[in-house]
Amino acid sequence: MARDEQLKERWSALQLKISNQFADGDMLDLDAIIYLVGVQELGQPHKKFKKDHKLDLMHIAICRLLEPYGYYEFEYFDEDKWPHYKTIETLPSLKAGEQSVLMKEAIVNYFIENGYIE
């Protein structure tokens, strides 16, 4: 199976599973799933977050998701237990579609590593 086709199938299966678990079947988009990864990485799933913290959670998720690609490296947890990352390599300029594919691939790999999907 071609790599792109496999990613497409895995993404669809993951999106459906997460949507059923967290959104009563309403299909979650890429940003919503990135947000959920941020909440998972912070380790405070039952806390209510303000808008600015939601953006911070998405930043945490993006750093964590792109860490295996060599773009970010975990640095430390602050006094509030929020993870901090440092930039290792600047992200290349990507078109919107290319960004989406990279993030979907990173998310699928993240959930495979965590045993949520196969």
Side-chain angles (χ1 to χ4, degrees), residues 9-60:
E9 286 181 15
R10 284 179 167 169
W11 172 256
S12 293
L14 173 63
Q15 189 179 29
L16 181 63
K17 184 174 182 175
I18 289 176
S19 296
N20 286 334
Q21 184 174 354
F22 293 101
D24 295 327
D26 291 338
M27 200 57 69
L28 295 176
D29 65 6
L30 181 61
D31 287 340
I33 294 173
I34 290 171
Y35 170 76
L36 288 174
V37 170
V39 171
Q40 172 70 24
E41 287 299 306
L42 183 60
Q44 299 177 15
H46 301 294
K47 184 175 179 179
K48 297 273 185 196
F49 296 100
K50 295 180 181 173
K51 187 176 182 178
D52 58 332
H53 283 133
K54 289 180 180 180
L55 293 174
D56 292 340
L57 287 165
M58 292 182 77
H59 177 73
I60 288 169

Side-chain angles (χ1 to χ4, degrees), residues 43-80:
Q44 299 177 15
H46 301 294
K47 184 175 179 179
K48 297 273 185 196
F49 296 100
K50 295 180 181 173
K51 187 176 182 178
D52 58 332
H53 283 133
K54 289 180 180 180
L55 293 174
D56 292 340
L57 287 165
M58 292 182 77
H59 177 73
I60 288 169
I62 290 167
C63 291
R64 171 59 183 88
L65 291 166
L66 297 179
E67 185 178 25
Y69 295 82
Y71 295 111
Y72 297 97
E73 181 178 274
F74 174 76
E75 218 172 3
Y76 65 94
F77 288 102
D78 66 19
E79 61 278 354
D80 296 323

